[in-house]
Amino acid sequence: MDMSFQEKSAWGLLLGIALVSVFYFPAALRIVAAVPEGTQSAASLITISILGVIAIVVIEIVYHGLIASLSTDTGRDERDALINLKAERNGGFALGFGLFWLVGHIVIQSVVQAYAVPEAMEIVVYILIALTASEVVKLMSQLWYYRVGA
Protein backbone atom coordinates (compact mmCIF):
# COMPACT_ATOMS: atom_id res chain seq x y z
CA MET A 1 0.00 0.00 0.00
CA ASP A 2 1.35 3.38 -1.03
CA MET A 3 1.71 5.99 1.69
CA SER A 4 -0.08 9.32 1.35
CA PHE A 5 1.78 12.61 1.42
CA GLN A 6 0.45 13.29 4.95
CA GLU A 7 1.70 9.93 6.22
CA LYS A 8 5.13 10.52 4.71
CA SER A 9 5.10 13.99 6.25
CA ALA A 10 4.32 12.55 9.69
CA TRP A 11 7.20 10.08 9.35
CA GLY A 12 9.59 12.89 8.42
CA LEU A 13 8.54 15.13 11.29
CA LEU A 14 8.73 12.24 13.76
CA LEU A 15 12.23 11.31 12.61
CA GLY A 16 13.34 14.97 12.63
CA ILE A 17 12.06 15.49 16.17
CA ALA A 18 13.68 12.26 17.33
CA LEU A 19 17.01 13.17 15.74
CA VAL A 20 17.12 16.67 17.22
CA SER A 21 15.79 15.52 20.62
CA VAL A 22 18.54 12.92 20.98
CA PHE A 23 21.08 15.74 20.97
CA TYR A 24 19.03 18.60 22.46
CA PHE A 25 17.61 17.18 25.69
CA PRO A 26 20.84 15.65 27.08
CA ALA A 27 22.64 18.93 26.34
CA ALA A 28 19.85 21.01 27.90
CA LEU A 29 19.79 18.87 31.03
CA ARG A 30 23.60 19.12 31.31
CA ILE A 31 23.36 22.92 31.09
CA VAL A 32 20.67 23.00 33.77
CA ALA A 33 22.61 20.62 36.05
CA ALA A 34 25.89 22.52 35.64
CA VAL A 35 24.57 25.98 36.48
CA PRO A 36 21.10 25.82 38.07
CA GLU A 37 20.40 29.55 37.86
CA GLY A 38 21.89 32.56 36.18
CA THR A 39 22.19 34.34 32.91
CA GLN A 40 24.90 32.03 31.57
CA SER A 41 22.70 28.93 31.79
CA ALA A 42 19.74 30.85 30.35
CA ALA A 43 21.82 32.12 27.44
CA SER A 44 23.23 28.65 26.75
CA LEU A 45 19.79 27.06 26.92
CA ILE A 46 18.32 29.69 24.61
CA THR A 47 21.20 29.21 22.17
CA ILE A 48 20.83 25.44 21.89
CA SER A 49 17.03 25.84 21.73
CA ILE A 50 17.33 28.18 18.75
CA LEU A 51 19.81 25.79 17.11
CA GLY A 52 17.40 22.89 17.72
CA VAL A 53 14.51 24.75 16.10
CA ILE A 54 16.69 25.70 13.13
CA ALA A 55 17.79 22.07 12.76
CA ILE A 56 14.18 20.81 12.76
CA VAL A 57 13.15 23.47 10.23
CA VAL A 58 16.05 22.63 7.89
CA ILE A 59 15.38 18.88 8.17
CA GLU A 60 11.69 19.42 7.44
CA ILE A 61 12.30 21.76 4.49
CA VAL A 62 14.67 19.27 2.87
CA TYR A 63 12.44 16.28 3.66
CA HIS A 64 9.19 17.90 2.51
CA GLY A 65 10.87 19.20 -0.64
CA LEU A 66 12.03 15.67 -1.40
CA ILE A 67 8.68 13.96 -0.78
CA ALA A 68 6.77 16.73 -2.60
CA SER A 69 8.94 16.29 -5.66
CA LEU A 70 8.40 12.51 -5.60
CA SER A 71 4.68 12.54 -4.73
CA THR A 72 1.92 12.84 -7.25
CA ASP A 73 -0.91 13.43 -4.75
CA THR A 74 -0.51 16.07 -2.03
CA GLY A 75 -4.22 16.65 -1.45
CA ARG A 76 -6.04 16.05 1.82
CA ASP A 77 -9.33 14.28 2.19
CA GLU A 78 -11.84 13.55 4.98
CA ARG A 79 -9.78 10.60 6.18
CA ASP A 80 -6.74 12.83 6.68
CA ALA A 81 -8.83 15.34 8.62
CA LEU A 82 -10.28 12.63 10.88
CA ILE A 83 -6.88 11.07 11.49
CA ASN A 84 -5.41 14.49 12.31
CA LEU A 85 -8.26 15.25 14.71
CA LYS A 86 -7.86 11.95 16.58
CA ALA A 87 -4.09 12.31 16.70
CA GLU A 88 -4.36 15.89 18.05
CA ARG A 89 -6.64 14.58 20.80
CA ASN A 90 -4.09 11.93 21.78
CA GLY A 91 -1.30 14.52 21.76
CA GLY A 92 -3.42 16.75 24.00
CA PHE A 93 -3.92 13.92 26.47
CA ALA A 94 -0.16 13.30 26.51
CA LEU A 95 0.55 16.99 27.09
CA GLY A 96 -2.00 17.13 29.90
CA PHE A 97 -0.45 14.07 31.52
CA GLY A 98 3.07 15.49 31.22
CA LEU A 99 2.13 18.84 32.73
CA PHE A 100 0.07 17.16 35.46
CA TRP A 101 3.12 15.03 36.29
CA LEU A 102 5.35 18.13 36.38
CA VAL A 103 3.06 20.05 38.73
CA GLY A 104 2.70 16.95 40.93
CA HIS A 105 6.47 16.51 40.97
CA ILE A 106 7.01 20.11 42.05
CA VAL A 107 4.30 19.93 44.74
CA ILE A 108 5.61 16.65 46.15
CA GLN A 109 9.18 17.96 46.17
CA SER A 110 8.14 21.08 48.04
CA VAL A 111 6.01 19.17 50.59
CA VAL A 112 8.34 16.23 51.23
CA GLN A 113 11.53 18.24 50.83
CA ALA A 114 13.46 15.03 50.18
CA TYR A 115 14.95 16.56 47.05
CA ALA A 116 15.42 20.13 45.95
CA VAL A 117 12.48 21.73 44.19
CA PRO A 118 13.32 22.11 40.48
CA GLU A 119 14.68 25.50 39.53
CA ALA A 120 13.08 27.62 36.81
CA MET A 121 15.44 26.49 34.04
CA GLU A 122 14.88 22.83 34.92
CA ILE A 123 11.12 23.38 34.80
CA VAL A 124 11.50 24.95 31.35
CA VAL A 125 13.30 21.84 30.09
CA TYR A 126 10.62 19.58 31.61
CA ILE A 127 7.91 21.63 29.87
CA LEU A 128 9.80 21.28 26.56
CA ILE A 129 10.02 17.52 27.16
CA ALA A 130 6.25 17.40 27.74
CA LEU A 131 5.59 19.43 24.58
CA THR A 132 7.92 17.25 22.53
CA ALA A 133 6.41 14.05 23.95
CA SER A 134 2.92 15.27 23.08
CA GLU A 135 3.99 15.97 19.49
CA VAL A 136 5.59 12.52 19.27
CA VAL A 137 2.37 10.92 20.59
CA LYS A 138 0.39 12.90 18.02
CA LEU A 139 2.63 11.81 15.15
CA MET A 140 2.72 8.19 16.29
CA SER A 141 -1.08 8.25 16.56
CA GLN A 142 -1.33 9.60 13.03
CA LEU A 143 0.90 6.84 11.73
CA TRP A 144 -1.08 4.25 13.69
CA TYR A 145 -4.40 5.51 12.30
CA TYR A 146 -3.03 5.56 8.76
CA ARG A 147 -1.99 1.91 9.12
CA VAL A 148 -5.06 0.49 10.94
CA GLY A 149 -7.66 2.92 9.65
CA ALA A 150 -9.34 5.86 11.32
Side-chain angles (χ1 to χ4, degrees):
M1 182 167 115
D2 192 34
M3 284 193 281
S4 70
F5 179 82
Q6 285 75 24
E7 187 177 0
K8 291 175 189 174
S9 175
W11 271 113
L13 186 54
L14 180 63
L15 294 174
I17 288 172
L19 181 65
V20 172
S21 294
V22 163
F23 296 104
Y24 174 78
F25 286 114
L29 291 170
R30 275 193 304 276
I31 289 169
V32 169
V35 185
E37 286 295 327
T39 58
Q40 181 61 35
S41 65
S44 299
L45 191 59
I46 290 169
T47 301
I48 67 164
S49 297
I50 290 170
L51 291 174
V53 169
I54 290 170
I56 287 177
V57 168
V58 168
I59 289 169
E60 289 307 305
I61 288 172
V62 170
Y63 180 77
H64 279 95
L66 179 67
I67 64 170
S69 68
L70 298 175
S71 294
T72 56
D73 178 34
T74 60
R76 295 184 64 147
D77 59 14
E78 303 85 31
R79 180 175 179 253
D80 293 321
L82 181 61
I83 286 172
N84 192 44
L85 185 64
K86 288 180 175 182
E88 285 287 346
R89 178 198 60 204
N90 294 343
F93 287 148
L95 179 60
F97 175 79
L99 295 179
F100 182 77
W101 175 87
L102 178 59
V103 170
H105 176 69
I106 293 168
V107 168
I108 289 171
Q109 296 298 52
S110 64
V111 170
V112 175
Q113 295 178 351
Y115 301 101
V117 175
E119 300 289 337
M121 295 305 291
E122 187 177 358
I123 291 171
V124 167
V125 173
Y126 288 150
I127 290 171
L128 289 173
I129 289 171
L131 289 167
T132 302
S134 73
E135 187 66 19
V136 167
V137 167
K138 176 194 151 209
L139 292 167
M140 290 176 70
S141 294
Q142 278 182 322
L143 295 170
W144 172 261
Y145 291 133
Y146 275 115
R147 288 290 134 198
V148 300

